[in-house]
Amino acid sequence: MKRRDFLRASAVAAAAAAVPSLGGAAAGKTSEPVLLGHVLRPQDLATPLEWFDRPITPTDVFFVRSHFGAPALDPHRTLRIDGTQGLILALPDLAGFEKVTLTAVLQCAGNGRALQRPRVPGVQWVHGAMGQATWTGVRLADLLRRAGIPPGAAHVELAGWDEPPMPTVPRFLRSIPLERALDPTTLVAWAMNGAPLTLAHGAPFRLVVPGWAGDHWMKWLRSVRVVEQEARGFYMETAYRMPVQPVAPGATVPAADMRPLTVFPVKSVVARPGEGARLRAGAIALAGVAFSGAAPIARVEVTLDGGQTWARAALDGPAGAGRWQVWRHRIAAKPGIWRVAVRATDAAGSTQPRDAVWNPSGYFWNGWHAVSFEVAS
Ligand SMILES: Nc1nc2c(c(=O)[nH]1)N[C@H]1C(S)=C(S)[C@@H](COP(=O)(O)O)O[C@H]1N2
Ligand SMILES: [Mo]
């Protein structure tokens, strides 16, 4: 999809859902012909692959995932932190804590689900449920220490201001272990890419959990409660779980052998050339991104012969767990049809497999990404 079409799609969804601002792109032009959406909530918008050739994904093309859609925009919303005492914070109160800015990948656990075989139900994301942004906020640890951490605390429960469409539908609720909540990279953020969070991305506050899948990054953050036990409910006990051990494709996995997913595995994609591109013979620039939630990227390799031989790509920018680096590689291509595939290895020693490990909900797909293009004489 072209950027213009993406923006228009957001504008249509925004107008229909009567949401005041979506990624700052809701220009709401009515004179142009548009398609009428039948499903506007939940709102799930994917970033086109061609944007994954740069360090930062602009906010207005950054993917959006929400189970029920955004609550009404209200910058005066407060956030409640419950420890040994309760703290109620509005946006200006966060100025009293140290401000932190970091760069991190936000990726939905279901990114790549459409590529898993056999297929499984769920949003059919291909590559577009990921992006990298700078996030500005305060450390959750600083807020929790101010509220006081009671003895016996082991988890923090996270709730947002969004509401399920019907009372019979469970709320989106999560918990993360206290240790992860106290990690200095876990933030309560109010800004993304240097501007206040847009409503689609969680205004006024959202959680940022670098290296962990997007479901932990609670948007429209309403409360953080220090508790002794992992949270219950559909989104903890049924959804967002992976088999403890790899299982055969298509297998039914007993509930006792599933655990909540956390850190996303090593992954890379080819953004350029695009699938089906027609290029002139000579020097051709290949580029994409590579990242791992577990460790910095150690190397990215490119193959033009289906994995028999690999060449090392160059990596741009700072390395780090949970942040992506742009990879680049130049080839001198003769006329013909070419197929390039890429694989990344992280500093923990994990390499992207040719085929991702199958699991019942299609989480964390990270197989090699391949693109075919034509070189004309
Ligand atoms: N309150 C709330 N937070 C939420 C969600 C939601 O439905 N409600 N969806 C989660 C999921 S599954 C993902 S992948 C990320 C997506 O964040 P984004 O829309 O800013 O890209 O938000 C997470 N935070
Ligand atoms: Mo997600």
Side-chain angles (χ1 to χ4, degrees):
M1 208 196 292
K2 290 267 155 43
R3 178 183 163 86
R4 184 168 36 89
D5 297 333
F6 182 93
L7 296 181
R8 191 183 301 148
S10 317
V12 173
V19 174
S21 158
L22 270 170
K29 265 201 181 175
T30 49
S31 55
E32 292 180 40
V34 291
L35 291 171
L36 301 175
H38 281 273
V39 181
L40 301 165
R41 285 186 181 225
Q43 186 182 48
D44 297 313
L45 301 169
T47 304
L49 188 58
E50 67 209 58
W51 289 90
F52 301 137
D53 65 346
R54 61 200 73 196
I56 296 294
T57 313
T59 304
D60 55 9
V61 294
F62 202 100
F63 89 97
V64 176
R65 165 65 174 142
S66 55
H67 292 80
F68 316 127
L73 180 63
D74 180 359
H76 304 295
R77 283 235 158 88
T78 52
L79 162 62
R80 193 181 165 98
I81 311 278
D82 279 311
T84 43
Q85 50 160 337
L87 283 185
I88 295 183
L89 301 161
L91 205 45
D93 302 321
L94 295 188
F97 297 85
E98 190 189 340
K99 182 170 133 181
V100 179
T101 295
L102 54 80
T103 300
V105 172
L106 167 51
Q107 178 178 225
C108 180
N111 195 30
R113 178 179 293 126
L115 301 166
Q116 193 181 258
R117 296 291 179 274
R119 303 188 76 135
V120 292
V123 182
Q124 295 299 302
W125 300 110
V126 184
H127 299 292
M130 63 181 197
Q132 178 156 270
T134 64
W135 308 96
T136 301
V138 297
R139 291 187 188 94
L140 179 57
D142 293 347
L143 303 182
L144 290 172
R145 288 199 180 102
R146 180 76 57 90
I149 300 168
H155 297 267
V156 307
E157 205 171 273
L158 309 162
W161 283 97
D162 48 338
E163 298 274 351
M166 292 182 291
T168 47
V169 174
R171 298 192 71 90
F172 183 66
L173 193 78
R174 298 213 54 80
S175 69
I176 59 174
L178 182 63
E179 192 191 3
R180 180 68 239 221
L182 295 177
D183 184 294
T185 67
T186 303
L187 306 183
V188 170
W190 67 81
M192 173 181 181
N193 291 339
L197 276 179
T198 59
L199 181 62
H201 295 295
F205 324 103
R206 83 169 309 159
L207 205 68
V208 165
V209 192
W212 283 34
D215 50 292
H216 304 283
W217 296 46
M218 185 64 70
K219 301 197 276 190
W220 314 298
L221 190 61
R222 177 180 190 163
S223 66
V224 178
R225 279 199 324 132
V226 180
V227 291
E228 291 183 6
Q229 310 263 319
E230 197 169 272
R232 313 283 312 255
F234 175 78
Y235 292 100
M236 293 298 295
E237 294 172 282
T238 306
Y240 299 114
R241 293 175 88 86
M242 300 258 296
V244 182
Q245 298 289 331
V247 298
T252 308
V253 184
D257 296 344
M258 303 278 276
R259 61 169 163 71
L261 53 82
T262 56
V263 177
F264 50 77
V266 64
K267 182 167 184 169
S268 62
V269 295
V270 183
R272 273 191 282 136
E275 179 66 34
R278 298 196 71 220
L279 305 165
R280 282 236 232 96
I284 291 175
L286 311 174
V289 293
F291 57 95
S292 162
I297 289 299
R299 63 176 184 277
V300 171
E301 297 160 294
V302 168
T303 182
L304 291 158
D305 55 16
Q308 290 173 51
T309 59
W310 295 89
R312 193 90 171 240
L315 289 170
D316 285 357
R323 79 181 276 165
W324 79 32
Q325 287 180 279
V326 173
W327 64 263
R328 295 178 196 285
H329 189 63
R330 290 179 88 79
I331 58 168
K334 296 194 200 95
I337 304 281
W338 292 83
R339 188 161 174 81
V340 57
V342 68
R343 73 173 182 201
T345 299
D346 68 19
S350 299
T351 298
Q352 258 179 285
R354 180 193 285 264
D355 297 306
V357 178
W358 188 94
N359 63 90
S361 298
Y363 292 131
F364 288 163
W365 186 92
N366 72 337
W368 299 352
H369 180 217
V371 163
S372 298
F373 57 95
E374 185 178 347
V375 175
S377 45

